[in-house]
Structure formats: C-alpha cells, structure tokens
Amino acid sequence: MESNEETLPIKSDGNMNQTISSKNLSFWIQQLPVKILQAKKRIEGSILKTPLIFSLKLSSMGDNCKVYLKLENEQITGSFKLRGAFNKMLTLIPQDKKAHACRTLGVPLHVFCRKDVDEGKKSALMEMGVKVTLTGTDCVDAENAARMYSKENQIPYVSPYNDKEIIAGQGTIGVEILEEQGDIDVCLVPVGGGGLISGIARYLKQMSPNIKVIGCQPENSKVMYKCVKANKIIFEESEETLSDGTVGGIESGSITFDLCRDFVDDWIMVSEEQIGRAIVFMLEEHRKVVEGAAGVAIGAYMNNLSKFTKKKVAIVCCGANISADVLRRLLDMYQ
C-alpha cells in the first residue's frame, strides 16, 4: 500500500469555496496535492519533464508582462495525457513493469472516440497498436459506450478526465511549473472535461493561493464553464471547433466539476479565428506545432492582454496532435 507520509502546507486565501457534497470526495480533494506529488515520483523516468520557455513575443504584446509556455506539445506522445495515463496504468499493474505507454507496459488498449475525431489523432493511435472504435457525435456518447463495453467484457474502464489517478497525473504539470517559476501570477489552462485543469489548479492553489487559475474554452464548446455558472452539470450541444481535444459534454457526477467550481478563478472563451491565429503564431514565432486545444489557451492570452498587465503568466500548451490538412488550411487563412 502506498504511503501518505508526504505532507504539504495547507494554505488558504479565505476566498476558496470548498463546499463539497460528498465527504469522501471532499477528503480526496484535500489530499490531492499529496497524490500529485506521489504521481510525480511514480511516473518520472517514463515521461518528459517538458520545457517551460520564456516567450519574448507574447511578453512584448502585453504591458510589462512575462509569459512562459509549458510545452506539453513536446511530451513523448505529443500530449499531456501521457502523464495521467501512466499514473493510472502504474496503479493497475505490478510496479516492476515500467516503460512507455500501454503497448510497452504490455497492457492492451481499446479507445472509444466520437465519430468526427481528428483523423491525425485516430491514425496516431492505430499506429501504436491501439484498437479504436468510433461512436456517437459527442465525447459523452463515446464515454458511455466505453463504460458499457468494459462492463460487458469485465475489463477496466479509464475515463479521459473523470478519474482520480488521471487527475493526479495531469497535476504534475503544476508541480513542474512551480519548480521553475515559483512566483507566477496567472496560469492559463485549456478545459474540456476538466481533468487537466483540475489537478493543476488544485496543486497551484495549495502551494500559492494567490495564483489566478484561468480556464480557457472555445466559444463553440464551453460546457464546463456553463456547468460552473449553473452550479451543476448540464448538457449543452457543442459546435464544431478546432479545439477537438476539449470538445463535448461532461458525464454526470464527474469529480472534475467540483474542482473546476472551487479552484478555477476565471474563464475565458475563445473564438475559432482566435484559436487558428494562435496556432499559426506558434508555428511562425516559436517554430512549434500545437493543436487546437493549446491554441485556446494561447489565444485567450493574446486577445485579453489587459487582464495580464504586469503579470507573470504561464500558459499550458497541452498538445501537438493536429492533422497536416488542418494546419495547412490555417496557414492559408492566417499566415
């Protein structure tokens, strides 16, 4: 059994609403920063500690800003999701089986996606030996199908966001940011189901409650924002968006809702043009390929500069999984 000997200071700025309905969930949320540190130890050596680079161009756009990019697009699989996946897998299988991804760990993987998933992402999964099933028009449809399949076949189901080990793994990004820049004022994070921002926000708020965590969503799929505003999980139709990594609904009872409600300070919605221009900006100015979800967070900064005056800002560039066709189209439009 894993030890809980690590402790963290309990800090509060007096403003965080931590009213959680379930006692068990409340206790887990309280312990999450420790779980994140445990996840970091568990997965280190299997993932990259991705760069946190200073962006002179983004900094110069603002008024006395310093902007840093957390390049999860340079993670081994081109996505932050490896962190949560590894943390989850290493809690499901013997600890002496360490390596890269499910294939290396010897764990078969079957992924359920919505029917209009990005072709580049689907191809990348299949090239790694992953079985891919396309179903439904929303991520919730795919999640429900995956749950049914796992129950019928008596195999573990792993949610892409609504899972304690997944959230703890993603939260290791927050640890790495503070290790290099411990005095950031603002952290911008793309949000879909909330698994990424939940871990990051909980850790940052534990260690430095004055850090402002901002959730960034496409205007065409702002489900978590709407849920937080309604103070309950609701269903809202999503429109087509470049940010396919954040598109879709949130399953009922998701633990990410509580974390987003209680630890995310503000929200910024980003248009499709702003996302596209942010993707092109990263290619032209930093020679970095980023996906639509990363463009959401970058675009949120670029189009709301007055919010970040005299601030030290960290932007989570969550992934690089964008198809060549989409990238070419955006270059034609915005270059």
Side-chain angles (χ1 to χ4, degrees):
M1 183 170 292
E2 201 165 46
S3 170
N4 285 332
E5 291 179 359
E6 277 188 274
T7 59
L8 286 166
I10 301 297
K11 299 183 180 180
S12 175
D13 62 359
N15 295 319
M16 286 189 292
N17 172 21
Q18 298 189 43
T19 304
I20 309 296
S21 58
S22 164
K23 287 185 178 180
N24 289 337
L25 180 57
S26 180
F27 178 75
W28 174 76
I29 289 175
Q30 183 181 6
Q31 294 298 309
L32 180 54
V34 173
K35 298 296 184 184
I36 290 169
L37 291 178
Q38 291 172 348
K40 186 173 184 292
K41 286 185 177 180
R42 186 179 295 121
I43 66 178
E44 62 185 1
S46 298
I47 65 158
L48 291 180
K49 181 178 181 180
T50 54
L52 181 69
I53 66 167
F54 176 70
S55 173
L56 178 60
K57 187 70 173 180
L58 288 173
S59 299
S60 64
M61 287 181 181
D63 180 4
N64 198 21
C65 294
K66 291 183 178 179
V67 180
Y68 294 82
L69 299 169
K70 182 59 171 170
L71 298 180
E72 285 298 294
N73 54 305
E74 297 189 359
Q75 190 53 262
I76 296 167
T77 56
S79 171
F80 75 93
K81 293 181 180 180
L82 185 66
R83 295 172 182 267
F86 252 110
N87 192 47
K88 180 67 176 183
M89 292 302 168
L90 290 173
T91 62
L92 290 175
I93 66 173
Q95 290 296 305
D96 60 352
K97 291 183 70 178
K98 295 183 178 181
H100 274 132
C102 291
R103 180 177 60 176
T104 311
L105 290 169
V107 180
L109 183 61
H110 188 166
V111 174
F112 286 73
C113 305
R114 56 191 175 84
K115 289 180 179 178
D116 57 346
V117 68
D118 180 82
E119 283 296 321
K121 292 185 177 182
K122 184 180 76 171
S123 297
L125 286 169
M126 295 176 69
E127 286 172 7
M128 290 187 289
V130 175
K131 183 179 180 181
V132 178
T133 295
L134 305 181
T135 181
T137 58
D138 191 281
C139 291
V140 172
D141 298 330
E143 290 160 20
N144 289 336
R147 284 186 182 278
M148 183 176 297
Y149 181 89
S150 70
K151 184 177 181 180
E152 290 174 351
N153 292 274
Q154 297 184 330
I155 55 177
Y157 165 77
V158 180
S159 169
Y161 59 90
N162 185 24
D163 184 282
K164 294 177 180 179
E165 284 76 28
I166 294 290
I167 291 170
Q170 321 303 29
T172 60
I173 293 171
V175 181
E176 292 181 9
I177 290 173
L178 290 189
E179 284 177 344
E180 295 193 42
Q181 297 294 334
D183 59 345
I184 64 167
D185 300 302
V186 183
C187 186
L188 294 167
V189 188
V191 180
L196 175 61
I197 200 171
S198 290
I200 292 174
R202 181 65 186 95
Y203 186 82
L204 294 182
K205 286 295 190 180
Q206 179 76 28
M207 303 309 296
S208 186
N210 291 326
I211 292 176
K212 190 172 185 179
V213 180
I214 299 180
C216 308
Q217 292 201 287
E219 290 179 352
N220 285 0
S221 184
K222 49 185 181 290
V223 182
M224 182 61 83
Y225 167 75
K226 286 297 190 73
C227 291
V228 169
K229 291 302 179 184
N231 199 29
K232 63 181 180 179
I233 295 177
I234 61 174
F235 177 78
E236 180 178 278
E237 291 281 355
S238 294
E239 298 177 34
E240 185 178 348
T241 174
L242 288 166
S243 181
D244 63 297
T246 66
V247 74
I250 302 159
E251 64 181 357
S252 177
S254 176
I255 56 179
T256 57
F257 168 74
D258 298 273
L259 287 155
C260 287
R261 180 193 62 199
D262 298 340
F263 295 98
V264 177
D265 298 287
D266 199 3
W267 298 83
I268 295 176
M269 303 301 114
V270 186
S271 72
E272 291 303 296
E273 180 176 346
Q274 290 168 348
I275 297 169
R277 289 190 181 278
I279 293 170
V280 173
F281 166 86
M282 285 295 290
L283 190 59
E284 290 185 330
E285 299 296 335
H286 286 289
R287 300 298 184 263
K288 305 292 184 185
V289 175
V290 299
E291 63 189 43
V296 171
I298 299 161
Y301 169 82
M302 293 173 66
N303 294 278
N304 295 272
L305 296 173
S306 62
K307 287 179 174 285
F308 309 109
T309 299
K310 298 181 180 180
K311 301 296 185 184
K312 192 171 187 178
V313 181
I315 303 176
V316 178
C317 300
C318 57
N321 294 311
I322 185 171
S323 72
D325 287 343
V326 171
L327 197 54
R328 278 193 290 266
R329 176 166 59 84
L330 294 176
L331 287 169
D332 288 341
M333 292 173 66
Y334 302 124
Q335 193 172 35

